[in-house]
Amino acid sequence: MEKTFYIETFGCQMNAHDSEKVIGTLIDQGYAQRETPEEANYIFYNTCSIRDKAEQKVFNRLMHLKKSAGRGKVLGLLGCVAQQEGEKIFERAPYISLVAGSASYTKLPEMLRQLEAGDRRVTGLSLDTEETFDTPLTRRDNPYKAFLTIIEGCDKACAYCVVPFTRGPERSRTAASVVDEAKRLVDQGYTEVQLLGQNVNSYRDPSPTGWDFATLLNEVGNIPGMKRVRFTTSHPRDFVKPIIDAIESNPNLCNHVHLPVQSGSDYVLGAMDRLYTREQYMQRIEWMKNSKRPIAITTDIILGFPGETEEDFQQTLDLLDEVEYDALFAFKYSPRPNTAALQFEDHIPEEEKTRRIQMLLERQRAIQIRKNSELVGAVEEVHVEGRHEMLNQWTGKTTSHHTLNFTGRDSEDLLGRYVNVRVLRAGPNSLTGEAVQ
Ligand code: SAH
Ligand code: SF4
Ligand code: F3S
């Protein structure tokens, strides 16, 4: 059988980056990547289980595939649904041959050899592993900005969240291997990296060097040729002042922090087991607001967690006004397998969750319109990532992660370059401007 594969990725940036590593590993084993499932003999889905909708998407895709392109092909399920459902997948979808979670990807080549030797089903589901999946073979998708994993797994136990079950306990990479990879990326022409982990703040170098996250951040920012360093995600409990000091003193560290709050109510935060109060969260926001650099702040919010009253919800709305986030992601609470909140009573009806999320997004939209309009007239440095030929516009991101579309310098190739742009107009979700001569 021809060694060709197709892979589709769902979920977060960690999954997207895992797929880049899997692709590199498969290519190294002599497999060729194809753009459609029809053209490939191996089909992989790298799956997400964070909300029920994400999981359903995967099973819908599988059903569809089984009816059409799936015949005679080898199907593999990777990622968080694979880890969560394990061997049960084979009952639900008997046409699947391989089930592997992210802690087992180092074993993929061996698993594929087993399939080729005639095994009908293989699994990689062990989570009690010390291993991290660092591979020099990674095939990165984006030519301008590179993902770089620094820590895998999560040791928190937020009552709603599957991640500790689907990705296992925390494992930090050695600082030496992170810095090495970042240097290699600069050699390959990258000037922007995004450090990844479910909770980057609890990073701790396992080697005797013992660097904490702020130290690592600073060191990566100091690599000659590195222009921009971003990081996601921060857990507020482990977000310490030295991280802000690092951002303040090192202009290569982007002035943007994604600090998921989930709720503005202490009751709900307690029920979620988030390990901080609203006051402690606001303390971190104050550090950023008092910083010499204007640090953009974004967040995640869950609406309709079991027991969330109208009063709790109002406290979340009130928090939006207090913090004035630059952007946010809002989600309706979705009950997930294995999680503590599954046992909670007082589930909020779907229509009520919808009402709350709509109200919240409306409130936030007004904040973004107001905040973004304050940027009109400013000159911002844009890392150019794309070009809309039809609109005659370049597009890219500012250090604070605003999307800034701009005109000018049409005859040049600006892709991957840093350009100063004057902001002329502001919408709720993006800015428009003109390159400064
Ligand atoms: N490790 C990160 C994010 C993990 S998942 C952190 O701790 O912030 C990304 C976001 O999905 C979370 O911040 C949360 O807002 C949302 N989320 C996670 N589980 C959810 C669930 N069961 N229902 C709805 N949203 C959820
Ligand atoms: Fe999930 Fe909480 Fe861990 Fe984030 S910190 S991955 S929300 S358990
Ligand atoms: Fe989804 Fe797994 Fe990421 S559940 S959000 S792909 S860690």
Side-chain angles (χ1 to χ4, degrees):
M1 188 153 89
E2 203 191 10
K3 292 172 102 178
T4 51
F5 72 96
Y6 166 83
I7 185 167
E8 187 171 343
T9 309
F10 303 83
C12 63
Q13 290 160 326
M14 295 209 68
N15 248 23
H17 185 37
D18 281 347
S19 285
E20 295 178 333
K21 299 183 212 175
V22 167
I23 291 168
T25 304
L26 294 176
I27 291 175
D28 181 61
Q29 296 290 313
Y31 296 81
Q33 190 178 5
R34 296 284 184 258
E35 293 306 315
T36 63
E38 288 78 12
E39 297 167 274
N41 286 318
Y42 289 81
I43 298 174
F44 296 102
Y45 289 119
N46 189 5
T47 61
C48 173
S49 167
I50 200 79
R51 283 165 292 273
D52 186 55
K53 239 196 221 154
E55 184 176 345
Q56 286 319 316
K57 221 195 252 173
V58 171
F59 284 102
N60 290 342
R61 190 71 102 248
L62 282 174
M63 282 311 293
H64 179 76
L65 193 68
K66 187 187 152 223
K67 288 191 202 130
S68 58
R71 280 173 214 283
K73 309 206 172 206
V74 180
L75 299 188
L77 212 62
L78 308 175
C80 292
V81 176
Q83 187 69 50
Q84 173 189 298
E85 297 298 310
E87 311 247 340
K88 278 186 282 176
I89 301 269
F90 297 130
E91 289 159 36
R92 198 160 162 188
Y95 41 90
I96 287 180
S97 312
L98 179 150
V99 175
S102 64
S104 303
Y105 296 161
T106 38
K107 301 198 188 73
L108 270 180
E110 188 188 316
M111 292 167 71
L112 289 172
R113 274 195 295 279
Q114 284 171 356
L115 283 179
E116 273 148 30
D119 284 9
R120 218 163 69 79
R121 282 171 176 170
V122 292
T123 54
L125 296 166
S126 163
L127 272 183
D128 53 3
T129 168
E130 290 291 289
E131 234 167 321
T132 52
F133 185 43
D134 316 341
T135 167
L137 306 167
T138 307
R139 287 288 175 121
R140 287 184 165 83
D141 257 357
N142 186 320
Y144 312 112
K145 179 164 64 189
F147 292 135
L148 207 173
T149 310
I150 63 167
I151 177 170
E152 318 244 15
C154 180
D155 281 352
K156 297 281 185 286
C158 303
Y160 51 80
C161 185
V162 290
V163 172
F165 307 100
T166 65
R167 287 185 169 262
E170 282 176 1
R171 289 145 283 155
S172 290
R173 270 174 80 174
T174 64
S177 92
V178 172
V179 170
D180 245 30
E181 184 168 3
K183 283 183 176 156
R184 271 206 313 277
L185 288 167
V186 170
D187 291 341
Q188 289 164 19
Y190 285 99
T191 54
E192 177 168 339
V193 295
Q194 182 163 2
L195 307 182
L196 295 182
Q198 289 300 340
N199 177 8
V200 288
N201 306 147
S202 63
Y203 174 84
R204 177 61 75 171
D205 181 1
S207 76
T209 329
W211 287 355
D212 61 7
F213 176 62
T215 311
L216 181 78
L217 192 59
N218 207 16
E219 294 293 331
V220 174
N222 283 337
I223 293 171
M226 190 63 83
K227 284 268 296 171
R228 283 188 177 180
V229 183
R230 302 185 184 280
F231 56 93
T232 41
T233 292
S234 286
H235 190 287
R237 161 101 170 199
D238 306 320
F239 188 79
V240 291
K241 184 85 176 12
I243 300 172
I244 295 166
D245 298 340
I247 295 175
E248 206 165 78
S249 63
N250 189 338
N252 291 345
L253 307 182
C254 288
N255 54 3
H256 169 215
V257 172
H258 185 64
L259 198 64
V261 66
Q262 314 300 358
S263 170
S265 143
D266 276 337
Y267 167 75
V268 175
L269 289 174
M272 286 177 167
D273 229 343
R274 284 292 285 179
L275 310 175
Y276 54 84
T277 61
R278 176 179 174 138
E279 192 188 336
Q280 288 165 332
Y281 182 85
M282 282 311 297
Q283 165 88 69
R284 278 121 184 105
I285 298 293
E286 285 314 309
W287 292 340
M288 290 191 267
K289 300 237 176 205
N290 292 331
S291 160
K292 285 186 215 86
R293 286 183 79 192
I295 300 177
I297 308 169
T298 57
T299 202
D300 294 344
I301 288 175
I302 295 177
L303 281 314
F305 188 74
E308 183 190 68
T309 62
E310 182 63 25
E311 168 64 22
D312 295 318
F313 170 57
Q314 288 299 330
Q315 289 177 15
T316 300
L317 289 181
D318 172 67
L319 180 87
L320 296 198
D321 293 336
E322 204 175 332
V323 178
E324 300 197 290
Y325 290 106
D326 290 83
L328 60 74
F329 296 105
F331 310 100
K332 291 191 243 180
Y333 167 70
S334 167
R336 305 306 295 132
N338 307 315
T339 61
L342 213 52
Q343 317 301 328
F344 294 2
E345 284 165 20
D346 212 0
H347 281 265
I348 311 293
E350 197 55 29
E351 317 82 73
E352 180 56 20
K353 289 184 198 166
T354 306
R355 184 187 73 87
R356 290 182 191 177
I357 200 170
Q358 282 169 350
M359 264 184 87
L360 179 116
L361 290 174
E362 222 168 279
R363 180 79 68 111
Q364 177 59 21
R365 189 180 149 89
I367 293 171
Q368 285 177 211
I369 290 174
R370 190 175 68 241
K371 281 202 85 174
N372 286 350
S373 70
E374 286 166 11
L375 293 168
V376 172
V379 173
E380 297 277 341
E381 187 182 57
V382 175
H383 187 190
V384 184
E385 289 177 19
R387 167 107 187 140
H388 304 295
E389 270 320 327
M390 303 261 279
L391 299 170
N392 239 346
Q393 255 183 2
W394 300 101
T395 183
K397 292 270 195 279
T398 65
T399 165
S400 53
H401 211 243
H402 286 94
T403 299
L404 179 42
N405 304 310
F406 66 97
T407 51
R409 300 181 62 175
D410 289 329
S411 58
E412 296 171 66
D413 180 7
L414 298 183
L415 293 176
R417 289 172 52 191
Y418 293 82
V419 174
N420 283 329
V421 176
R422 184 175 309 281
V423 179
L424 299 176
R425 281 182 303 282
N429 298 311
S430 66
L431 309 167
T432 325
E434 193 173 56
V436 175
Q437 288 310 320

